[in-house]
Amino acid sequence: MTRWMGIVLLSAMLQQADTETRIINYLKANVRPGQAVTVADLTRVFKTPEEQAVLSRLFNTFFKVPMTVAQIYTQTKKIPTLRELSDQFGFRVPGEMDVVLRVLESDPRVPKFMTRDPRSGEITKVDVAAIQADPNFGRLIERSIAGWEGRPAPVFTIKSFSGSPLSSTQVKGQPHLIYFWFTNCPPCVQSTPLLVALNAKYAAQGFKIMGANADHLLELPYSDAVRAEYMKKHGVTFTEGHLTPQMQADYGGVSVFPTMFFVNRKGVIVKQMVSFQDKATLESAIQAALKP
């Protein structure tokens, strides 16, 4: 049964990849500077339910890109590469991130928030102020990068992978980490073994990890079986649940994965981190959460 489910999932992912490739190739050929790409224009060309689903996901991505670039740059002081941005959004079609950025650059309604190398397409400069000043992005990016450290961690209620309720009350009074991630996100894959090892080391001191998986929220084609296999492969034993739009919004509209909030016994966030962090940095944050 597991093998059959794997074959069905692989077939579905290949079909989605083929659909996404056709749409990206169409955009490559048809994006024009100064001309906004609209859903209405594309739905006249791509009409099947599979195509409509890919279009919906892409347009959701267009809106999130400026916030994601600004958040990564603000938190890490480094401009993300096209590969890193592709990893964040689960893009697998060659050149897809470049096309998405071209769509944004062609739209006169979107602020000119970045400069790119004309040859490589890599982002060379980010104007965070321009993103913050835009009414469509400003409030959201301000919420995501504003100082979370020293603030109470938002309460939440989500469903665990097994379907049972999972809430912040279950870690009340305990030092813990709220870990936002999605399946096979490359920086999440790098982070997972470090968190597994640190969880084993500090569990005896009362430290807990609660994962909020964004597969459903991001409309990624991963089944329960795939998530279970990921957990087994990496030896994950900490509690996991499905991220909801409400929890995402309450934590500042998390759009970079992984994002981590380290919380102390009083329920106060002591550290916020985005993207991959090395073991020493993660351990330092855990120790900060464990302090009396």
Side-chain angles (χ1 to χ4, degrees):
M1 179 62 71
T2 302
R3 181 169 176 241
W4 172 250
M5 289 174 65
I7 292 172
V8 171
L9 177 65
L10 178 59
S11 176
M13 292 179 71
L14 289 173
Q15 182 178 6
Q16 183 190 46
D18 181 62
T19 300
E20 198 152 335
T21 297
R22 286 189 286 105
I23 292 174
I24 292 302
N25 286 339
Y26 177 87
L27 289 171
K28 282 181 182 179
N30 289 279
V31 174
R32 298 286 182 270
Q35 295 180 13
V37 176
T38 67
V39 175
D41 291 337
L42 292 176
T43 53
R44 284 194 285 268
V45 180
F46 301 103
K47 302 176 181 179
T48 70
E50 294 78 15
E51 291 169 340
Q52 301 276 318
V54 171
L55 286 177
S56 174
R57 179 168 174 262
L58 284 174
F59 269 88
N60 286 336
T61 298
F62 295 152
F63 186 75
K64 293 173 184 174
V65 167
M67 295 187 298
T68 300
V69 172
Q71 188 178 359
I72 292 175
Y73 181 66
T74 302
Q75 294 285 340
T76 68
K77 308 305 179 188
K78 295 179 181 178
I79 296 174
T81 65
L82 296 188
R83 168 47 55 196
E84 289 168 338
L85 288 172
S86 295
D87 291 344
Q88 285 295 325
F89 293 105
F91 289 163
R92 293 176 178 80
V93 178
E96 187 165 2
M97 193 69 238
D98 178 69
V99 171
V100 168
L101 291 175
R102 282 176 53 200
V103 170
L104 286 169
E105 290 166 334
S106 71
D107 195 328
R109 300 168 297 179
V110 177
K112 305 307 177 188
F113 68 92
M114 65 182 178
T115 302
R116 293 209 289 158
D117 185 301
R119 297 185 66 182
S120 67
E122 294 291 346
I123 302 170
T124 57
K125 184 179 179 182
V126 178
D127 189 344
V128 175
I131 303 173
Q132 291 176 310
D134 185 270
N136 293 316
F137 304 113
R139 235 181 70 189
L140 292 172
I141 185 60
E142 185 60 32
R143 286 194 66 208
S144 70
I145 66 176
W148 281 91
E149 295 174 9
R151 294 169 54 184
V155 298
F156 62 86
T157 299
I158 58 178
K159 286 187 177 181
S160 71
F161 285 177
S162 65
S164 59
L166 180 64
S167 76
S168 49
T169 59
Q170 293 170 240
V171 287
K172 187 175 181 179
Q174 297 175 293
H176 61 276
L177 162 64
I178 305 298
Y179 174 56
F180 293 80
W181 67 289
F182 66 83
T183 304
N184 292 329
C185 139
C188 304
V189 171
Q190 286 180 282
S191 301
T192 297
L194 301 182
L195 293 176
V196 168
L198 290 169
N199 184 57
K201 181 175 180 178
Y202 288 98
Q205 297 182 44
F207 183 75
K208 293 186 177 296
I209 299 177
M210 297 186 79
N213 178 275
D215 289 353
H216 289 174
L217 194 73
L218 299 176
E219 300 178 352
L220 298 176
Y222 295 117
S223 66
D224 291 341
V226 170
R227 277 185 291 276
E229 181 60 29
Y230 179 95
M231 303 278 281
K232 180 179 178 182
K233 176 181 177 182
H234 294 286
V236 176
T237 57
F238 41 83
T239 307
E240 292 284 359
H242 294 290
L243 178 63
T244 63
Q246 185 63 57
M247 184 181 181
Q248 181 192 37
D250 289 344
Y251 278 82
V254 170
S255 59
V256 177
F257 298 92
T259 287
M260 294 167 275
F261 294 89
F262 294 82
V263 185
N264 67 14
R265 290 179 175 86
K266 295 182 178 180
V268 175
I269 296 169
V270 295
K271 293 287 182 182
Q272 178 203 11
M273 298 177 179
V274 301
S275 198
F276 173 75
Q277 304 292 330
D278 62 33
K279 187 176 182 180
T281 302
L282 294 171
E283 189 160 21
S284 175
I286 291 173
Q287 291 169 351
L290 284 166
K291 286 182 179 179

